[in-house]
Amino acid sequence: MNTHRIAAIPGDGIGVPVTEAALAVAAASGARLEVTRFDWSCETYLATGAMMPADGIDTLRGFDAIFLGAVGWPAKVPDSVSLHGLLLPIRKAFAQYANVRPHRLLPGVEGPLRRTDFDILCVRENTEGEYSGAGGRVHVGTRDEVAVETAIFTRHGVERILRFGFEQARRRRGKLASVTKSNAQKHTMVFWDEMTDRVAADYPDIEVTRYHIDAMCARMVMAPESLDVVVASNLFGDILTDLGAAIQGGLGFAASANVNPERSAPSMFEPVHGSAPDIVGKGAANPLATILSCALLLRYALQRDDLANRVEDAVQKALDEGLRTPDIAAGEPSCTTDELGAAVLKHLSS
Ligand code: NAD
Ligand code: IPM
Ligand code: MN
Protein backbone atom coordinates (compact mmCIF):
# COMPACT_ATOMS: atom_id res chain seq x y z
CA MET A 1 0.00 0.00 0.00
CA ASN A 2 1.27 3.51 -0.86
CA THR A 3 2.08 5.98 1.88
CA HIS A 4 0.23 9.27 1.36
CA ARG A 5 1.86 12.46 2.57
CA ILE A 6 -0.63 14.79 4.26
CA ALA A 7 0.06 18.40 5.27
CA ALA A 8 -2.09 19.34 8.29
CA ILE A 9 -2.78 22.99 9.13
CA PRO A 10 -4.96 23.09 12.28
CA GLY A 11 -5.01 26.92 12.17
CA ASP A 12 -6.96 28.95 14.70
CA GLY A 13 -9.54 28.49 17.45
CA ILE A 14 -11.54 25.26 17.33
CA GLY A 15 -9.59 24.35 14.20
CA VAL A 16 -6.96 22.92 16.53
CA PRO A 17 -9.01 20.40 18.58
CA VAL A 18 -11.23 19.32 15.68
CA THR A 19 -8.18 18.71 13.48
CA GLU A 20 -6.58 16.57 16.17
CA ALA A 21 -9.79 14.53 16.44
CA ALA A 22 -9.94 14.08 12.66
CA LEU A 23 -6.25 13.19 12.33
CA ALA A 24 -6.67 10.47 14.96
CA VAL A 25 -9.54 9.09 12.88
CA ALA A 26 -7.47 9.37 9.70
CA ALA A 27 -4.65 7.42 11.35
CA ALA A 28 -7.06 4.63 12.32
CA SER A 29 -8.90 4.61 8.98
CA GLY A 30 -6.73 1.96 7.42
CA ALA A 31 -4.98 4.34 5.02
CA ARG A 32 -1.23 4.64 5.33
CA LEU A 33 -0.69 8.32 6.01
CA GLU A 34 2.38 10.33 6.91
CA VAL A 35 1.16 13.56 8.47
CA THR A 36 3.27 16.72 8.73
CA ARG A 37 1.77 19.48 10.89
CA PHE A 38 2.21 23.19 10.10
CA ASP A 39 1.34 25.63 12.87
CA TRP A 40 0.45 28.43 10.42
CA SER A 41 -2.23 30.62 11.98
CA CYS A 42 -3.00 34.13 13.23
CA GLU A 43 -0.32 33.52 15.91
CA THR A 44 2.19 33.02 13.08
CA TYR A 45 1.08 36.35 11.64
CA LEU A 46 1.53 38.14 14.96
CA ALA A 47 5.00 36.61 15.38
CA THR A 48 6.29 36.92 11.80
CA GLY A 49 4.06 39.37 9.90
CA ALA A 50 2.80 36.61 7.57
CA MET A 51 0.25 33.80 7.91
CA MET A 52 2.66 31.34 6.35
CA PRO A 53 6.29 31.49 5.23
CA ALA A 54 7.07 32.99 1.81
CA ASP A 55 7.69 29.49 0.44
CA GLY A 56 4.54 28.06 2.08
CA ILE A 57 2.80 27.27 -1.20
CA ASP A 58 5.92 25.56 -2.57
CA THR A 59 6.18 23.52 0.62
CA LEU A 60 2.57 22.34 0.38
CA ARG A 61 2.91 21.47 -3.31
CA GLY A 62 4.95 18.40 -2.42
CA PHE A 63 2.12 16.78 -0.44
CA ASP A 64 -0.59 14.41 -1.65
CA ALA A 65 -3.33 16.32 0.20
CA ILE A 66 -3.82 19.14 2.67
CA PHE A 67 -6.00 18.98 5.76
CA LEU A 68 -7.07 22.28 7.30
CA GLY A 69 -8.96 23.11 10.50
CA ALA A 70 -10.01 26.76 10.38
CA VAL A 71 -8.38 30.12 9.79
CA GLY A 72 -9.25 33.44 11.40
CA TRP A 73 -9.17 35.25 14.71
CA PRO A 74 -10.72 38.63 13.97
CA ALA A 75 -9.94 40.09 17.40
CA LYS A 76 -6.21 39.68 16.67
CA VAL A 77 -5.86 39.84 12.88
CA PRO A 78 -8.39 41.27 10.40
CA ASP A 79 -10.12 38.49 8.42
CA SER A 80 -9.23 40.29 5.21
CA VAL A 81 -5.57 39.69 6.11
CA SER A 82 -5.68 36.20 7.62
CA LEU A 83 -7.88 34.52 5.01
CA HIS A 84 -6.04 36.17 2.12
CA GLY A 85 -2.77 35.05 3.68
CA LEU A 86 -3.51 31.35 4.02
CA LEU A 87 -6.79 29.70 3.03
CA LEU A 88 -7.73 31.59 -0.14
CA PRO A 89 -4.24 31.56 -1.75
CA ILE A 90 -4.05 27.77 -1.30
CA ARG A 91 -7.37 27.26 -3.09
CA LYS A 92 -6.22 29.45 -5.97
CA ALA A 93 -2.57 28.34 -6.23
CA PHE A 94 -3.52 24.68 -6.44
CA ALA A 95 -6.48 25.17 -8.81
CA GLN A 96 -8.83 23.63 -6.26
CA TYR A 97 -11.67 24.95 -8.34
CA ALA A 98 -14.32 22.47 -7.23
CA ASN A 99 -15.48 23.03 -3.69
CA VAL A 100 -17.63 20.01 -2.91
CA ARG A 101 -19.96 20.24 0.07
CA PRO A 102 -22.44 17.43 0.82
CA HIS A 103 -25.58 18.21 2.80
CA ARG A 104 -27.72 15.45 4.19
CA LEU A 105 -29.26 14.80 7.55
CA LEU A 106 -27.66 11.85 9.31
CA PRO A 107 -30.13 9.37 10.86
CA GLY A 108 -30.98 10.34 14.42
CA VAL A 109 -29.89 13.96 14.05
CA GLU A 110 -32.59 16.53 14.48
CA GLY A 111 -32.51 19.30 11.88
CA PRO A 112 -34.77 22.34 11.80
CA LEU A 113 -36.85 21.17 8.79
CA ARG A 114 -39.95 19.01 8.51
CA ARG A 115 -38.47 17.23 5.47
CA THR A 116 -35.45 15.14 6.34
CA ASP A 117 -35.01 12.98 3.23
CA PHE A 118 -32.61 15.20 1.31
CA ASP A 119 -29.18 14.50 -0.13
CA ILE A 120 -27.69 17.58 -1.78
CA LEU A 121 -24.20 17.93 -3.22
CA CYS A 122 -23.23 21.58 -3.49
CA VAL A 123 -20.50 22.23 -6.05
CA ARG A 124 -19.11 25.68 -5.48
CA GLU A 125 -16.75 27.44 -7.89
CA ASN A 126 -13.69 28.07 -5.74
CA THR A 127 -11.09 30.17 -7.52
CA GLU A 128 -12.71 33.16 -9.25
CA GLY A 129 -16.11 34.87 -9.47
CA GLU A 130 -16.83 37.26 -6.62
CA TYR A 131 -13.61 36.12 -4.85
CA SER A 132 -11.30 37.15 -7.70
CA GLY A 133 -9.74 39.87 -5.55
CA ALA A 134 -9.87 42.36 -8.42
CA GLY A 135 -10.70 45.84 -7.24
CA GLY A 136 -9.48 48.65 -5.10
CA ARG A 137 -10.22 51.75 -3.11
CA VAL A 138 -9.48 55.35 -3.95
CA HIS A 139 -9.80 58.61 -2.03
CA VAL A 140 -9.61 56.56 1.17
CA GLY A 141 -10.93 58.37 4.22
CA THR A 142 -12.41 61.26 2.24
CA ARG A 143 -16.01 62.01 1.35
CA ASP A 144 -15.20 60.91 -2.20
CA GLU A 145 -14.11 57.44 -1.17
CA VAL A 146 -14.88 54.68 -3.69
CA ALA A 147 -14.57 50.91 -3.27
CA VAL A 148 -14.80 48.53 -6.23
CA GLU A 149 -14.77 44.73 -6.15
CA THR A 150 -15.05 43.12 -9.55
CA ALA A 151 -16.47 39.64 -10.02
CA ILE A 152 -14.54 37.82 -12.73
CA PHE A 153 -16.06 34.90 -14.61
CA THR A 154 -13.86 33.29 -17.23
CA ARG A 155 -15.06 30.86 -19.89
CA HIS A 156 -12.44 28.38 -18.71
CA GLY A 157 -13.47 28.76 -15.06
CA VAL A 158 -17.21 28.54 -15.59
CA GLU A 159 -17.03 25.67 -18.05
CA ARG A 160 -14.81 23.51 -15.84
CA ILE A 161 -16.97 23.88 -12.72
CA LEU A 162 -20.12 23.12 -14.69
CA ARG A 163 -18.53 20.04 -16.25
CA PHE A 164 -17.44 18.89 -12.81
CA GLY A 165 -21.03 19.35 -11.57
CA PHE A 166 -22.47 17.40 -14.51
CA GLU A 167 -20.03 14.56 -13.88
CA GLN A 168 -21.12 14.43 -10.23
CA ALA A 169 -24.79 14.44 -11.27
CA ARG A 170 -24.10 11.49 -13.56
CA ARG A 171 -22.74 9.51 -10.61
CA ARG A 172 -25.71 10.47 -8.44
CA ARG A 173 -29.39 10.97 -9.29
CA GLY A 174 -28.92 12.71 -12.65
CA LYS A 175 -30.16 16.16 -11.67
CA LEU A 176 -28.28 19.44 -11.78
CA ALA A 177 -29.42 22.82 -10.49
CA SER A 178 -27.49 25.80 -11.86
CA VAL A 179 -27.72 28.83 -9.60
CA THR A 180 -27.36 32.42 -10.82
CA LYS A 181 -28.91 35.84 -10.46
CA SER A 182 -29.26 36.44 -14.18
CA ASN A 183 -32.42 38.47 -13.79
CA ALA A 184 -30.39 41.22 -12.12
CA GLN A 185 -26.76 40.63 -13.10
CA LYS A 186 -26.94 40.77 -16.84
CA HIS A 187 -23.30 40.22 -17.76
CA THR A 188 -21.68 37.55 -15.62
CA MET A 189 -24.79 35.61 -14.72
CA VAL A 190 -26.28 35.60 -18.22
CA PHE A 191 -22.90 34.29 -19.35
CA TRP A 192 -23.13 31.55 -16.69
CA ASP A 193 -26.62 30.58 -17.94
CA GLU A 194 -25.36 30.40 -21.52
CA MET A 195 -22.44 28.24 -20.45
CA THR A 196 -24.84 25.96 -18.58
CA ASP A 197 -26.82 25.43 -21.79
CA ARG A 198 -23.66 24.76 -23.78
CA VAL A 199 -22.26 22.23 -21.34
CA ALA A 200 -25.69 20.63 -20.86
CA ALA A 201 -25.68 19.73 -24.56
CA ASP A 202 -22.89 17.24 -23.76
CA TYR A 203 -24.97 15.69 -20.96
CA PRO A 204 -28.40 14.92 -22.46
CA ASP A 205 -28.94 12.34 -19.71
CA ILE A 206 -28.86 15.02 -16.98
CA GLU A 207 -31.98 16.99 -16.03
CA VAL A 208 -30.94 20.64 -15.73
CA THR A 209 -32.91 23.34 -13.94
CA ARG A 210 -31.89 26.96 -13.55
CA TYR A 211 -32.65 28.76 -10.31
CA HIS A 212 -32.03 32.25 -9.08
CA ILE A 213 -30.05 32.38 -5.86
CA ASP A 214 -32.91 33.89 -3.85
CA ALA A 215 -35.33 31.20 -4.98
CA MET A 216 -32.70 28.52 -4.31
CA CYS A 217 -32.38 29.71 -0.69
CA ALA A 218 -36.13 29.23 -0.23
CA ARG A 219 -36.06 25.85 -2.01
CA MET A 220 -33.29 24.50 0.19
CA VAL A 221 -35.55 25.14 3.17
CA MET A 222 -38.96 24.32 1.70
CA ALA A 223 -38.16 21.45 -0.70
CA PRO A 224 -34.58 20.26 -0.17
CA GLU A 225 -35.53 16.74 -1.30
CA SER A 226 -36.07 18.12 -4.83
CA LEU A 227 -32.34 18.86 -5.21
CA ASP A 228 -29.42 16.67 -6.22
CA VAL A 229 -26.30 18.50 -7.46
CA VAL A 230 -26.34 22.29 -7.00
CA VAL A 231 -23.69 24.28 -8.89
CA ALA A 232 -23.06 27.88 -7.91
CA SER A 233 -20.50 30.66 -8.10
CA ASN A 234 -17.98 31.25 -5.33
CA LEU A 235 -19.99 33.67 -3.18
CA PHE A 236 -23.39 32.15 -3.87
CA GLY A 237 -21.93 28.72 -3.07
CA ASP A 238 -20.42 30.04 0.14
CA ILE A 239 -23.76 31.33 1.35
CA LEU A 240 -25.75 28.30 0.19
CA THR A 241 -23.44 25.93 2.03
CA ASP A 242 -23.89 27.58 5.41
CA LEU A 243 -27.61 27.23 4.70
CA GLY A 244 -26.96 23.60 3.73
CA ALA A 245 -25.09 23.16 7.01
CA ALA A 246 -28.05 24.59 8.92
CA ILE A 247 -30.58 22.19 7.38
CA GLN A 248 -28.29 19.23 8.08
CA GLY A 249 -28.30 20.01 11.78
CA GLY A 250 -25.67 22.73 12.02
CA LEU A 251 -22.15 23.75 11.06
CA GLY A 252 -20.84 20.93 13.22
CA PHE A 253 -21.81 18.44 10.46
CA ALA A 254 -20.84 20.21 7.23
CA ALA A 255 -17.76 18.82 5.50
CA SER A 256 -15.93 20.28 2.54
CA ALA A 257 -13.43 19.25 -0.13
CA ASN A 258 -11.48 21.76 -2.23
CA VAL A 259 -10.76 19.52 -5.18
CA ASN A 260 -8.26 19.85 -7.99
CA PRO A 261 -9.96 17.36 -10.32
CA GLU A 262 -6.98 17.09 -12.67
CA ARG A 263 -4.77 16.19 -9.69
CA SER A 264 -2.10 18.61 -10.90
CA ALA A 265 -1.68 19.86 -7.31
CA PRO A 266 -2.90 18.72 -3.88
CA SER A 267 -6.55 19.05 -2.92
CA MET A 268 -7.51 20.45 0.49
CA PHE A 269 -10.05 19.17 2.99
CA GLU A 270 -11.63 21.25 5.75
CA PRO A 271 -14.94 21.73 7.55
CA VAL A 272 -17.32 24.41 6.24
CA HIS A 273 -17.22 26.17 9.60
CA GLY A 274 -14.66 28.63 10.91
CA SER A 275 -12.62 29.01 14.09
CA ALA A 276 -15.70 29.70 16.30
CA PRO A 277 -14.04 32.10 18.77
CA ASP A 278 -17.26 32.17 20.81
CA ILE A 279 -16.87 28.56 21.98
CA VAL A 280 -13.11 28.06 21.91
CA GLY A 281 -11.47 26.34 24.90
CA LYS A 282 -14.73 24.87 26.22
CA GLY A 283 -14.52 21.38 24.69
CA ALA A 284 -17.78 22.29 22.98
CA ALA A 285 -16.75 22.10 19.33
CA ASN A 286 -18.41 19.37 17.30
CA PRO A 287 -15.59 17.48 15.56
CA LEU A 288 -17.85 15.61 13.11
CA ALA A 289 -17.64 18.19 10.28
CA THR A 290 -13.87 17.78 10.32
CA ILE A 291 -13.98 14.01 10.72
CA LEU A 292 -16.40 13.84 7.78
CA SER A 293 -13.97 16.05 5.82
CA CYS A 294 -11.38 13.36 6.53
CA ALA A 295 -13.78 10.89 4.89
CA LEU A 296 -13.87 13.23 1.87
CA LEU A 297 -10.05 13.17 1.81
CA LEU A 298 -10.14 9.37 1.68
CA ARG A 299 -12.81 9.50 -1.04
CA TYR A 300 -11.54 12.28 -3.31
CA ALA A 301 -7.76 12.44 -2.74
CA LEU A 302 -6.96 8.79 -2.04
CA GLN A 303 -9.91 7.39 -4.03
CA ARG A 304 -10.59 4.94 -1.20
CA ASP A 305 -14.38 4.86 -1.04
CA ASP A 306 -14.14 1.77 1.16
CA LEU A 307 -12.19 3.62 3.88
CA ALA A 308 -14.36 6.74 3.58
CA ASN A 309 -17.44 4.58 4.10
CA ARG A 310 -15.84 3.04 7.21
CA VAL A 311 -15.28 6.50 8.70
CA GLU A 312 -18.84 7.57 7.90
CA ASP A 313 -20.18 4.36 9.47
CA ALA A 314 -18.15 5.01 12.63
CA VAL A 315 -19.58 8.56 12.82
CA GLN A 316 -23.09 7.13 12.52
CA LYS A 317 -22.43 4.59 15.28
CA ALA A 318 -21.16 7.32 17.62
CA LEU A 319 -24.37 9.26 16.94
CA ASP A 320 -26.45 6.11 17.43
CA GLU A 321 -24.92 5.85 20.91
CA GLY A 322 -26.61 9.17 21.67
CA LEU A 323 -23.45 11.26 21.84
CA ARG A 324 -24.19 14.95 21.29
CA THR A 325 -21.96 18.01 21.66
CA PRO A 326 -23.74 21.18 22.87
CA ASP A 327 -24.44 22.49 19.33
CA ILE A 328 -26.57 19.44 18.47
CA ALA A 329 -27.95 18.42 21.86
CA ALA A 330 -31.68 18.89 22.27
CA GLY A 331 -31.22 19.19 26.04
CA GLU A 332 -28.08 18.66 28.11
CA PRO A 333 -25.03 17.89 25.95
CA SER A 334 -23.77 14.38 26.48
CA CYS A 335 -20.14 14.77 25.44
CA THR A 336 -17.18 17.00 24.65
CA THR A 337 -15.16 17.36 21.45
CA ASP A 338 -12.64 14.76 22.60
CA GLU A 339 -15.27 12.30 23.79
CA LEU A 340 -17.11 12.37 20.47
CA GLY A 341 -13.81 11.97 18.60
CA ALA A 342 -12.87 9.04 20.85
CA ALA A 343 -16.24 7.36 20.23
CA VAL A 344 -15.75 7.57 16.45
CA LEU A 345 -12.27 6.07 16.92
CA LYS A 346 -13.67 3.25 19.06
CA HIS A 347 -16.22 2.30 16.40
CA LEU A 348 -13.60 2.54 13.67
CA SER A 349 -11.35 0.14 15.51
CA SER A 350 -14.05 -2.35 16.53
P1 NAD B 1 -17.92 30.12 12.47
O1 NAD B 1 -18.26 29.03 11.48
O2 NAD B 1 -16.58 30.04 13.08
O3 NAD B 1 -19.01 30.12 13.64
C1 NAD B 1 -20.39 30.41 13.42
C2 NAD B 1 -21.23 29.86 14.59
O4 NAD B 1 -21.26 28.42 14.51
C3 NAD B 1 -20.61 30.18 15.95
O5 NAD B 1 -21.65 30.41 16.86
C4 NAD B 1 -19.87 28.91 16.33
O6 NAD B 1 -19.74 28.69 17.71
C5 NAD B 1 -20.70 27.83 15.67
N1 NAD B 1 -19.88 26.69 15.23
C6 NAD B 1 -19.06 26.65 14.16
N2 NAD B 1 -18.47 25.47 14.08
C7 NAD B 1 -18.89 24.74 15.12
C8 NAD B 1 -18.60 23.41 15.58
N3 NAD B 1 -17.76 22.60 14.93
N4 NAD B 1 -19.20 22.99 16.73
C9 NAD B 1 -20.06 23.78 17.38
N5 NAD B 1 -20.38 25.03 16.99
C10 NAD B 1 -19.78 25.52 15.87
O7 NAD B 1 -18.12 31.50 11.70
P2 NAD B 1 -17.73 32.99 12.15
O8 NAD B 1 -18.01 33.16 13.59
O9 NAD B 1 -18.39 33.85 11.16
O10 NAD B 1 -16.17 33.09 11.90
C11 NAD B 1 -15.17 32.96 12.90
C12 NAD B 1 -13.82 33.07 12.22
O11 NAD B 1 -13.60 31.94 11.36
C13 NAD B 1 -13.64 34.30 11.34
O12 NAD B 1 -12.31 34.69 11.41
C14 NAD B 1 -13.97 33.78 9.96
O13 NAD B 1 -13.45 34.55 8.92
C15 NAD B 1 -13.33 32.42 10.03
N6 NAD B 1 -13.84 31.42 9.10
C16 NAD B 1 -12.92 30.56 8.60
C17 NAD B 1 -13.34 29.52 7.79
C18 NAD B 1 -12.32 28.59 7.27
O14 NAD B 1 -11.18 28.58 7.71
N7 NAD B 1 -12.65 27.73 6.33
C19 NAD B 1 -14.70 29.34 7.53
C20 NAD B 1 -15.62 30.25 8.08
C21 NAD B 1 -15.19 31.28 8.88
C1 IPM C 1 -15.75 28.96 3.73
C2 IPM C 1 -15.39 30.25 4.42
C3 IPM C 1 -14.41 31.06 3.57
C4 IPM C 1 -15.05 31.34 2.23
C5 IPM C 1 -13.97 32.38 4.22
C6 IPM C 1 -13.40 32.14 5.59
C7 IPM C 1 -13.04 33.18 3.36
O1 IPM C 1 -16.53 30.98 4.73
O2 IPM C 1 -14.85 28.15 3.45
O3 IPM C 1 -16.93 28.75 3.48
O4 IPM C 1 -15.83 32.27 2.09
O5 IPM C 1 -14.76 30.59 1.30
MN1 MN D 1 -18.36 29.96 4.25
Side-chain angles (χ1 to χ4, degrees), residues 273-292:
H273 66 72
S275 59
D278 54 334
I279 57 164
V280 86
K282 296 181 180 156
N286 183 345
L288 294 184
T290 316
I291 291 172
L292 291 168

Side-chain angles (χ1 to χ4, degrees), residues 99-162:
N99 189 333
V100 179
R101 298 182 161 185
H103 301 295
R104 63 194 178 92
L105 198 59
L106 297 180
V109 175
E110 219 170 293
L113 304 184
R114 287 192 299 269
R115 294 301 301 253
T116 59
D117 52 341
F118 58 88
D119 180 355
I120 301 172
L121 191 74
C122 273
V123 172
R124 165 189 177 190
E125 201 294 315
N126 212 28
T127 55
E128 56 171 48
E130 308 87 345
Y131 282 43
S132 69
R137 286 167 66 171
V138 291
H139 309 305
V140 176
T142 74
R143 280 196 345 206
D144 299 324
E145 187 157 1
V146 178
V148 177
E149 188 107 25
T150 306
I152 294 182
F153 289 82
T154 65
R155 190 170 179 126
H156 176 60
V158 176
E159 179 166 355
R160 67 184 180 178
I161 195 62
L162 285 165

Side-chain angles (χ1 to χ4, degrees), residues 91 101 124 131 237-239 241-242 251 272-274:
R91 289 179 181 168
R101 298 182 161 185
R124 165 189 177 190
Y131 282 43
D238 176 50
I239 296 166
T241 52
D242 259 42
L251 280 158
V272 170
H273 66 72

Side-chain angles (χ1 to χ4, degrees), residues 14 68 70-74 79 83 87 91 251-252 270-279 284-286 327:
I14 66 163
L68 185 134
V71 181
W73 199 263
D79 278 351
L83 276 315
L87 177 74
R91 289 179 181 168
L251 280 158
E270 51 164 344
V272 170
H273 66 72
S275 59
D278 54 334
I279 57 164
N286 183 345
D327 56 313

